[in-house]
Structures are given as structure tokens and as C-alpha cells.
Amino acid sequence: MTYKNLINGKWLDPLSNKYTENRNPADSGDLIGLFPASAKEDVDEAVKSARKAYEKWRLVPAPRRGDVLKLVSDKLTRRKDELAFEMTREMGKVIAETKGDVQEGIDTAYYAASEGRRLFGYNAPSELPNKMNLSFRVPVGVGGFITPWNFPMAIPTWKLFPALVCGNTCVFKPAELTPKTAHTLVEIIDESLHEVLGSAYIAGVINLVHGSGSVVGEAIINHPEIDLISFTGSTNVGKRINEVAGASLKRVSLEMGGKNAQIVMNDANQELALDAVLWGAFGTTGQRCTATSRLILHEKIHDEFLAKLIERAKKLKLGYGNDKGVDVGPCVSEGQRKTVDEYVKIGLKEDKAKLVLGGEIAQEGSLTKGWFYKPTIFSGVTRNMRIAREEIFGPVLSVLKARSLEEAIDILNDTKYGLSSSIFTQDVNSAFTAVRDIKAGITYINGATIGAEAHMPFGGVKETGNGHREGGWTVYDFYTEWKAVYVDYSGKLQRAQIDNY
Ligand code: NAD
């Protein structure tokens, strides 16, 4: 099947007339479809339509905009299993996880729907008599949305749903590796706009332009008629976006890479900590921004915990994520698997690092059809090694040793990233010290580094983010401007700071 872009309310072939293949990473013989490799001109058309739609959409009452999101969430709920199956086919993670990915979209949609009835402003007393001070949230304008492949449903919904309910219009460029999920999501949003608005349907509220970062992504970030950019992806691309979009003073939200760590103290519940690290390091084949890629073990339990970890990790079953009993899916692409393998080779050359599990491409049976890599563990890793510092984005875990809580936190913080973090301890003093001293946007006490909830702020510090948060109430500050309004009913000219003192 050949797919199209959605521009100005119509499904159109790309002006480039070029397409790229989308294939199942667990079985490269399974062709999912052909998707547009759009041109800059497609982005121009999409922005034109979003700009025009903005002037109408911003005037639709926010609770009505919320009704659209309510219908979107109902449709996502009804289609959850089908969407999850197709997502697993498209990007590889196991079906339980893709169901979770869709559920995050559902939760985000219900939150956004109800926010249409809040979007609270603040009132404050005036310093002058017979005068009223109010403040309102107003939409920003046209947004450009650029997303990665690892959460093909959840991440776009974190951006598009709050943006839409606030009254912004959207030009959305999904990752090249997950266009099908994006297609279905946009189809559902557009259907819901039709059903809720009826004859008052506004074409161009949501536009979908498939294609590469270097053509479509660049056209979006450089476009003078785009007011805001919301990006999730690697730190290198985020830096480029900040430079380009910052030059024209666009509002920019960046969610970028991570090198997350789990600390296990000597007083921890070890079985719980084991479950968590297996889930954190090898869930989504390690391809989460919040994946556990460093495990910091207190020296007193190091050897015992590592032995148990290897035993448990050995039993993880690799396979096609839509098959029963599979724990770990493939890497998303041949390129991603190559990167993982290169990092393993780097690890093997690092002084004292010891490969204790995996470290190779999986070659057994049907696994040769996809981009599978065996769950891999290095022990003896120290903080300055490249495998302890750089984001690998695959099923590779580096194990480090610490002599104390302070040293463990110091190692955890010794990274340019700051997304997620975790500590396992039964000691309340250690737990609260970690909460205070860990430098990250998210800290779990006795939980894995992965597993955020849609109504909580999500994002990171240092080179992971630029100060904004997605999720929960905080994201609404990004998608609105504050307008202050003064109403003077005194019947005379009152001058603040002058007439009152
Ligand atoms: P990526 O940076 O390669 O691509 C992300 C998106 O940016 C894609 O849609 C891509 O086409 C686009 N892009 C690439 N070059 C561009 C350019 N010059 N201009 C505009 N757009 C461009 O990342 P990826 O490989 O898709 O995803 C993996 C990365 O995403 C990892 O670093 C991971 O940590 C990060 N990530 C972060 C979070 C978070 O919330 N912090 C969540 C998920 C993934």
C-alpha cells in the first residue's frame, strides 16, 4: 500500500513524487508500505494551510476543542489492540509495550480533553482603585512537531494533543521508521475533527508530512511561518534545531538523549532491583530515552547481584514482538544494530571492562530475518569509559561499582545527560539524599528508570532538555502565551506607580 500526506484536509501524494519503504525490523521480508519522501514544497503547502486554519481554530471554544480530543481518546481505546499490533510490526518492541504506548496516548488525550475546560488563568488585585487585573492563556500559532521512532504513538500525542486543545495548528513530521503509526494517529484526529465540527470542519488544523530529517525536518525548522517547534530525538539533532529555530526566535522545546543509571544499595530488596534492571535495560530492546544503560552496584552486594543478573538475563527470549512469550524484540533497523555492535567492540577494547553476557548478533533460526542483538552486559566498567558515557540505544548494560551512597550518586551524576534515574534502598535517609542530590528530571525510588505517567512532568536536565517539560500540567505553558489584561472602570486615566504613591 502507498500512503499519502495530509495537507489542508486532503490526503495527497508528495510533490517530490518519491517514496520510501517501511519494513518489519523482525522480518525484513515483510513490507509494511511505501511512505512519502516529501519535498520542501510539501512543507510549504502544509504550513500555508496550518496558518490559514489557525485563524479559525483559535476561535473554537477550548471545551469544544477538548471534545475533539475526547473523541480521539475513545477511538484510540477502541482500536488499541490493532494499533499496538501494527506498531510492533513497524518498530519491533513487544506487544505488551506497544499496548502501553497506545495507552499513554489515550491517557494524554483524556487529560487534554478535560484541560479544554480548565486552561486556567490567574487574577490578581490591582494596585489602583476601580481597576481589574486578569491574565489569560492564548495559543502560540502554528507548531512544527518532529518525533523519534521509539514511542511512535505516545510521543506525538504528548505534543499534538495539548497543542491542539490550546488552539494551535500543527505540521507533524514523524520519524521515517514509524510512519504507519503516525498515519493512523493523524487519520483518527482528522476523523474526529470532522465528526465534532461537522459542517464547520476546518481544513489544515492537523497536517502530516512524511519524510527525512534533512529535507522535511530542515524545511520545518527553517520555515518563517512556524511559531514553535517541539522536538524529541537525539541531542545532536536537538542542538542543530535550537541553533536554526532559535535564530528566528521560535519557541523551542527539546527532549533529547539519556544515559540513565540505576543504583542498588547493599540494603536493597535485590529481587525487586533485579526485576527493575532487566525491565529498564532490555525493555524496548534498550531503545528508550529512559533506558537503564548503567547499573551502579554497592560493592558489598556487587558480585552476588551481578551473578543473579546474568542468570536472569540469559533467560530472556528474543523474537518477533507479536509472538507469545517473547521478552525482547529486534533493534529498530540494521543501522541501529550496527551502532550497538560498534559500541560492544569499543567496550571490548576498554581497559578492565569485561563482557559477561551477549555481545553479538543473534543468529538462531528465524532471528536471522531481523535486526536482533543479544542482551549484553559488561562488568568492571568505570565512569570514564565510552560505554559508561555515550548513549548506545540498544540492549547493552554497563555495570559499575561504588563504595558508598555518595560515590554511587557521584557516578550517576557524572554524565552530560540528565533524564531518568533510580535507586533501590530500604533506608529512608539514603532515599531522600538521592532525591535531593541526583541531577535528573526523573528519579524513581525502588522503581525502574522507565515508566513515566502521562499526567506528570516529563523531561530532563543538562543535555537532555532545554528547560521545558512534556506531560501533565506543565506542557500547557509551552503551548500557550500569557496575555495580561487590565480593565479600568474608574472613568479617569490612572497611572500605575505614579498616581498611587
Ligand atoms: P533522531 O534525532 O535521529 O531523529 C529524531 C527526529 O528528528 C526524526 O523525525 C528525524 O527525521 C528528525 N531529524 C533528523 N535530522 C533533522 C534535522 N536536521 N532537522 C530537523 N529534524 C531532523 O533520533 P531517533 O534516532 O529518531 O531517536 C532516538 C533518540 O531520541 C535518542 O537519542 C533518544 O534518547 C531520544 N529520545 C528522547 C526522548 C526524551 O523524551 N528525552 C524520548 C525518546 C527518544
Side-chain angles (χ1 to χ4, degrees):
M1 173 151 180
T2 303
Y3 290 80
K4 297 175 191 268
N5 292 323
L6 181 71
I7 296 177
N8 202 27
K10 295 196 178 70
W11 291 98
L12 301 174
D13 292 322
L15 294 167
S16 63
N17 216 16
K18 289 188 189 146
Y19 297 84
T20 47
E21 287 183 353
N22 180 22
R23 287 180 181 272
N24 180 344
D27 177 0
S28 56
D30 177 19
L31 177 65
I32 294 166
L34 295 176
F35 287 84
S38 310
K40 176 185 172 295
E41 291 70 28
D42 294 296
V43 174
D44 292 340
E45 289 303 308
V47 176
K48 213 189 286 170
S49 100
R51 178 57 56 202
K52 206 164 127 227
Y54 173 65
E55 292 307 329
K56 290 186 182 160
W57 181 241
R58 72 183 177 88
L59 300 180
V60 174
R64 192 90 181 117
R65 297 195 297 250
D67 290 344
V68 176
L69 274 306
K70 164 77 171 60
L71 188 57
V72 168
S73 49
D74 292 344
K75 285 173 185 278
L76 288 174
T77 305
R78 273 200 296 278
R79 296 180 63 181
K80 180 173 168 180
D81 288 355
E82 163 217 335
L83 278 160
F85 180 91
E86 285 300 318
M87 198 194 301
T88 293
R89 186 173 163 221
E90 179 170 61
M91 58 73 67
K93 64 188 174 188
V94 300
I95 184 86
E97 293 186 46
T98 49
K99 281 187 187 167
D101 198 317
V102 180
Q103 187 58 45
E104 214 161 316
I106 294 167
D107 297 342
T108 303
Y110 281 123
Y111 192 106
S114 61
E115 195 60 29
R117 292 189 180 270
R118 285 189 296 267
L119 286 177
F120 294 138
Y122 297 98
N123 303 328
S126 169
E127 62 187 48
L128 290 161
N130 300 322
K131 194 176 166 201
M132 189 184 283
N133 295 357
L134 312 165
S135 70
F136 298 93
R137 289 176 184 276
V138 294
V140 181
V142 175
F145 300 84
I146 302 175
T147 56
W149 46 264
N150 63 341
F151 282 85
M153 175 66 72
I155 290 178
T157 67
W158 288 356
K159 299 175 187 305
L160 297 170
F161 293 174
L164 286 169
V165 86
C166 290
N168 305 285
T169 55
C170 307
V171 176
F172 170 33
K173 188 212 94 62
E176 300 93 306
L177 291 168
T178 49
K180 173 93 189 278
T181 305
H183 171 92
T184 315
L185 171 64
V186 170
E187 193 176 54
I188 287 173
I189 297 172
D190 192 51
E191 270 172 26
S192 304
L193 282 161
H194 271 289
E195 286 172 41
V196 171
L197 299 180
S199 58
Y201 170 77
I202 304 165
V205 169
I206 174 101
N207 299 273
L208 172 68
V209 187
H210 291 287
S212 69
S214 57
V215 177
V216 176
E218 284 286 332
I220 289 175
I221 62 176
N222 279 287
H223 205 294
E225 288 292 316
I226 285 188
D227 304 296
L228 68 86
I229 301 285
S230 179
F231 166 81
T232 300
S234 61
T235 297
N236 281 345
V237 174
K239 283 182 179 172
R240 157 96 192 137
I241 290 176
N242 212 28
E243 239 176 75
V244 174
S248 59
L249 297 180
K250 294 188 197 320
R251 181 179 282 223
V252 179
S253 169
L254 304 169
E255 292 295 343
M256 300 168 285
K259 188 73 187 172
N260 315 289
Q262 173 180 319
I263 296 172
V264 184
M265 293 301 295
N266 50 333
D267 57 25
N269 175 336
Q270 288 196 26
E271 288 312 308
L272 196 62
L274 269 171
D275 287 343
V277 69
L278 287 162
W279 173 229
F282 303 119
T284 319
T285 321
Q287 303 170 119
R288 286 183 182 228
C289 49
T290 53
T292 311
S293 63
R294 295 177 295 152
L295 174 67
I296 304 165
L297 298 176
H298 191 280
E299 62 178 2
K300 286 195 183 143
I301 49 112
H302 177 278
D303 295 355
E304 175 194 356
F305 192 91
L306 181 62
K308 287 190 207 164
L309 173 64
I310 295 167
E311 273 321 295
R312 290 274 306 273
K314 259 186 204 163
K315 295 189 185 123
L316 292 172
K317 186 167 178 239
L318 265 70
Y320 178 33
N322 277 323
D323 289 344
K324 277 215 168 73
V326 169
D327 299 305
V328 182
C331 296
V332 74
S333 64
E334 189 176 14
Q336 195 65 32
R337 183 172 74 172
K338 195 160 163 255
T339 304
V340 169
D341 200 43
E342 277 165 11
Y343 268 107
V344 169
K345 292 199 173 98
I346 289 167
L348 287 169
K349 283 194 207 126
E350 304 217 69
D351 194 26
K352 294 196 190 126
K354 196 171 150 212
L355 180 70
V356 290
L357 186 74
E360 58 186 357
I361 287 171
Q363 309 270 20
E364 295 82 17
S366 63
L367 298 182
T368 53
K369 292 200 278 184
W371 314 123
F372 291 93
Y373 203 87
K374 292 191 177 166
T376 297
I377 301 176
F378 279 101
S379 67
V381 178
T382 52
R383 60 168 91 195
N384 291 323
M385 293 179 184
R386 284 185 64 189
I387 53 169
R389 305 196 78 76
E390 296 173 24
E391 188 181 41
I392 300 173
F393 227 56
V396 181
L397 178 69
S398 296
V399 182
L400 299 94
K401 197 187 277 188
R403 282 163 299 190
S404 62
L405 174 69
E406 289 68 30
E407 193 187 18
I409 294 175
D410 193 45
I411 294 172
L412 183 146
N413 285 337
D414 194 359
T415 164
K416 64 179 182 175
Y417 299 111
L419 184 52
S420 189
S421 55
S422 147
I423 180 166
F424 279 77
T425 178
Q426 300 291 317
D427 180 327
V428 70
N429 297 338
S430 301
F432 279 96
T433 302
V435 167
R436 185 193 61 196
D437 292 343
I438 286 177
K439 297 187 180 78
I442 304 165
T443 295
Y444 289 89
I445 306 297
N446 296 325
T449 58
I450 65 180
E453 297 180 29
H455 59 287
M456 289 286 285
F458 182 92
V461 300
K462 301 195 265 181
E463 290 201 7
T464 295
N466 66 339
H468 297 288
R469 289 290 181 271
E470 306 210 280
W473 59 98
T474 43
V475 73
Y476 290 88
D477 284 332
F478 182 71
Y479 291 111
T480 51
E481 295 275 12
W482 281 105
K483 174 176 271 190
V485 176
Y486 299 96
V487 184
D488 191 321
Y489 52 98
S490 68
K492 54 190 181 203
L493 179 69
Q494 301 196 87
R495 297 172 303 175
Q497 296 94 34
I498 295 172
D499 291 339
N500 51 346
Y501 292 109

